[in-house]
Amino acid sequence: MGPAARSADASSRWTLPDAVDLGLTAREAEVLGYVAEGWSNKRIADELVISPRTVGIHVSNVLHKLGVSTRGEAAALLRRLSAG
């Protein structure tokens, strides 16, 4: 399965209204979807055509807004929210 297929799978479970409810911007929600899929900052940057440093800033903002410390915790929270 290619990157586009994986990102489509993630986005079908995670919607912008969910992100807004958590205080995330559309870009932060997009980055969170990729983080939950296990993508590295470099890979996310390549996909979104932004710098890895910018991805890192988005990830940091997401972790802060979600009140978690790690990418794994953010991914777990996203999975719980997407499940129900």
Side-chain angles (χ1 to χ4, degrees), residues 1-12 34 37 39 43 47:
M1 178 182 320
R6 274 195 293 275
S7 63
D9 290 344
S11 66
S12 67
Y34 289 120
E37 292 293 317
W39 289 26
R43 187 170 177 195
E47 178 73 15

Side-chain angles (χ1 to χ4, degrees), residues 6 14 17 20 23 33 41 44-45 49-50 62 66 68 79-80:
R6 274 195 293 275
W14 179 243
V20 170
N41 284 8
I44 296 168
V49 193
I50 59 178
V62 166
L66 297 181
V68 298
R79 282 191 292 277
R80 282 195 309 274

Side-chain angles (χ1 to χ4, degrees), residues 1-81:
M1 178 182 320
R6 274 195 293 275
S7 63
D9 290 344
S11 66
S12 67
R13 296 186 306 263
W14 179 243
T15 65
L16 187 54
D18 296 328
V20 170
D21 289 346
L22 295 173
L24 302 180
T25 66
R27 182 62 103 183
E28 289 167 347
E30 187 174 25
V31 167
L32 176 57
Y34 289 120
V35 166
E37 292 293 317
W39 289 26
S40 68
N41 284 8
K42 169 85 170 88
R43 187 170 177 195
I44 296 168
D46 290 345
E47 178 73 15
L48 299 179
V49 193
I50 59 178
S51 76
R53 178 164 164 65
T54 299
V55 173
I57 291 168
H58 288 311
V59 170
S60 179
N61 290 341
V62 166
L63 297 180
H64 177 75
K65 288 179 178 183
L66 297 181
V68 298
S69 301
T70 68
R71 295 165 75 101
E73 290 174 333
L77 177 60
L78 179 59
R79 282 191 292 277
R80 282 195 309 274
L81 292 172

